[in-house]
Structures are given as structure tokens and as C-alpha cells.
């Protein structure tokens, strides 16, 4: 199983709503990532989790709150978002750890298309 | 700083023609390099990767890429393009500081019949 599963696939939320994006992998990967992708742009790194601990926060606004409940799950909690936060949110995982090159290959989910109204 | 540059924003080729997508990287040591493909509204699929060793790497869907250290390049090639290859292509570098992928700006491939 080389799949990263993201739910929901589409989400429309108001600026006062609270919602969560979910990501799951069963490859035994110890690194998980959230990327944000605007239209016609490359994915931009938001957060990195390594061994269930937040290791990188790319100066993301606090209205985005990541959570890693266990080694297979990654959530992104959303609150008081702005219309400019509308984007495709991609989750990825890799083997992680301090090992060699083989630990760096990232597997991506299909993304959640988020629209903030 | 570790970075990736894709000089071509948009490329159009005829079906059956050959394809080369350019990628240049900036990194002091041997980089870990990847090519991903993305169809509209979809996630990213890995085409191929380079870690070390043989500089010509084969990937899925008939793609290959050649690592050239002297030119800091990792160009993607395909001998004969199919209409289904139309998509966005991203070159990526594993950033050893952040321990995550850094992507180039992408190249949109259009295939003419």
C-alpha cells in the first residue's frame, strides 16, 4: 500500500467556521507534511512532522493548526480563514529519519480543494 | 540556499514528438532530485528520482532524466509524447535543512494532436 488518503476531497467553509482536513498513510512512514498549492503555482511547504513531532513551521498563520495524533494520521485544523486561503492542500509522507536518500521520497495524497467564502 | 529553477513555464509539443523539460538546481553537495507530474486538481505522482550513481535514470510512463553535475541540471525527457502526458511537471530537490521537498515553479505541457 503506497497510498496517502486525504479527506475530504472538497471543502467549502465560511470565514467563521472551524473545520479539519485529514490525512492518513499506512506505509510506516515517520515524516509527514502539509503543503499549500495555489492555482498555477508549485506546492509550498507549510509544516513538517517527524516522529509525530512538529519539526518545521514555515511561518504559517495561527489560523492553521496541525496535529499528528499518531504515526499514521495528520490533521490540519482550520479556523477563521480568509478567502485568500482558498487553495489545494496536499498531504505527503516519507520514510523520514536520518537515513539515506531512500528516506526522502515523498508520496502525495490527492489533496483537499478548499474554498473559503 | 537550496533551490530549483524550471526556466520554461509552458511548452507545447505535437503528439509523437520528443520532449525535454529543463530543471536547474542550486545545492553544494550531491542533490536528491525528483520529477513529479500533476494533472489538474490532482495530487503529485512521482515520475523518477536521482540519488547517486548512474546519471541517466529511468522512470514510469517512458520518462527518463539525466543528471549533469557540471551544468547543475536534471532535465526530463521522453522520446515520443502521448496526448495523456499533458499536465504540469514539477522538478523538486530534497532540502536537507528543512528535510522536505522544495519545488520548482513547474512547466505546463500541452500536447497538440
Amino acid at each position: 500500500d503506497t497510498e496517502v488518503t486525504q479527506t475530504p476531497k472538497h471543502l467549502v467553509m465560511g470565514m467563521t467556521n472551524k473545520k479539519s482536513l485529514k490525512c492518513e498513510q499506512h506505509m510506516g512512514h515517520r515524516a509527514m507534511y502539509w503543503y499549500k498549492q495555489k492555482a498555477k503555482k508549485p506546492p509550498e511547504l507549510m509544516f513538517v512532522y517527524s516522529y509525530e513531532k512538529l519539526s518545521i513551521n514555515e511561518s504559517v498563520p495561527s489560523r492553521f493548526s496541525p496535529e499528528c495524533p499518531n504515526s499514521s494520521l495528520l490533521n490540519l485544523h482550520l479556523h477563521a480563514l480568509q478567502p485568500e486561503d482558498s487553495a489545494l492542500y496536499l498531504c505527503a509522507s516519507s520514510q523520514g529519519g536520518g537515513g539515506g536518500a531512500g528516506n526522502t521520497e515523498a508520496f502525495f495524497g490527492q489533496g483537499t480543494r478548499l474554498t473559503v467564502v | 540556499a537550496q533551490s530549483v529553477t524550471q526556466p520554461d513555464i509552458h511548452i507545447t509539443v505535437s503528439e509523437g514528438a520528443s520532449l525535454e523539460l529543463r530543471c536547474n538546481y542550486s545545492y553544494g553537495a550531491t542533490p536528491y532530485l525528483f520529477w513529479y507530474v500533476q494533472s489538474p486538481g490532482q495530487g503529485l505522482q512521482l515520475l523518477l528520482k536521482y540519488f547517486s550513481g548512474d546519471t541517466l535514470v529511468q522512470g514510469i510512463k517512458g520518462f527518463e532524466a539525466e543528471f549533469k553535475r557540471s551544468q547543475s541540471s536534471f532535465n526530463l525527457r521522453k522520446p515520443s509524447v502521448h496526448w495523456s502526458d499533458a499536465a504540469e511537471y514539477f522538478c523538486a530537490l530534497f532540502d536537507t535543512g528543512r528535510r522536505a521537498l522544495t519545488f520548482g515553479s513547474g512547466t505546463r505541457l500541452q500536447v497538440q494532436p
Side-chain angles (χ1 to χ4, degrees):
Chain A
D1 182 6
T2 58
E3 215 174 79
V4 175
T5 303
Q6 289 189 243
T7 56
K9 290 191 176 4
H10 301 275
L11 178 63
V12 179
M13 61 184 291
M15 289 189 283
T16 59
N17 291 160
K18 287 185 181 181
K19 296 288 185 183
S20 296
L21 310 184
K22 297 186 185 302
C23 174
E24 190 168 5
Q25 57 87 13
H26 295 288
M27 294 178 276
H29 288 174
R30 304 316 299 263
M32 296 187 76
Y33 314 84
W34 281 114
Y35 284 84
K36 174 182 178 180
Q37 186 179 24
K38 301 283 277 185
K40 301 187 189 302
K41 295 291 186 182
E44 294 180 349
L45 185 67
M46 300 175 72
F47 303 104
V48 180
Y49 271 83
S50 180
Y51 290 87
E52 301 164 45
K53 294 196 184 313
L54 182 65
S55 60
I56 296 287
N57 176 342
E58 290 286 286
S59 302
V60 179
S62 60
R63 57 185 183 268
F64 295 91
S65 175
E67 178 197 22
C68 189
N70 60 56
S71 60
S72 299
L73 293 174
L74 186 66
N75 298 322
L76 186 63
H77 303 298
L78 314 173
H79 174 53
L81 294 193
Q82 303 297 309
E84 58 265 29
D85 297 320
S86 298
L88 182 67
Y89 288 83
L90 293 164
C91 174
S93 70
S94 69
Q95 199 167 333
N103 292 350
T104 63
E105 178 180 341
F107 294 79
F108 284 81
Q110 292 299 295
T112 294
R113 173 72 60 190
L114 174 67
T115 303
V116 181
V117 297
Chain B
Q2 302 174 35
S3 65
V4 179
T5 302
Q6 294 180 247
D8 304 306
I9 296 172
H10 186 205
I11 284 183
T12 300
V13 300
S14 298
E15 191 167 16
S18 63
L19 171 70
E20 182 169 27
L21 303 183
R22 296 184 291 166
C23 172
N24 294 98
Y25 68 90
S26 174
Y27 183 60
T30 300
Y32 301 152
L33 294 164
F34 306 82
W35 275 99
Y36 284 86
V37 61
Q38 185 179 35
S39 297
Q42 300 295 310
L44 281 79
Q45 182 182 23
L46 179 68
L47 289 176
L48 45 78
K49 58 197 176 193
Y50 173 79
F51 296 152
S52 65
D54 194 348
T55 57
L56 185 63
V57 293
Q58 302 296 321
I60 62 171
K61 304 185 179 187
F63 285 94
E64 65 178 27
E66 186 171 11
F67 173 71
K68 292 185 177 180
R69 185 186 300 278
S70 61
Q71 298 177 20
S72 298
S73 69
F74 187 54
N75 294 348
L76 182 71
R77 301 195 295 245
K78 187 170 185 178
S80 177
V81 170
H82 188 263
W83 64 266
S84 60
D85 293 324
E88 187 87 21
Y89 291 79
F90 292 101
C91 184
L93 169 74
F94 185 77
D95 184 318
T96 54
R98 299 186 304 168
R99 298 205 64 77
L101 294 180
T102 292
F103 288 89
S105 54
T107 298
R108 178 167 298 278
L109 174 65
Q110 188 173 354
V111 180
Q112 288 182 334

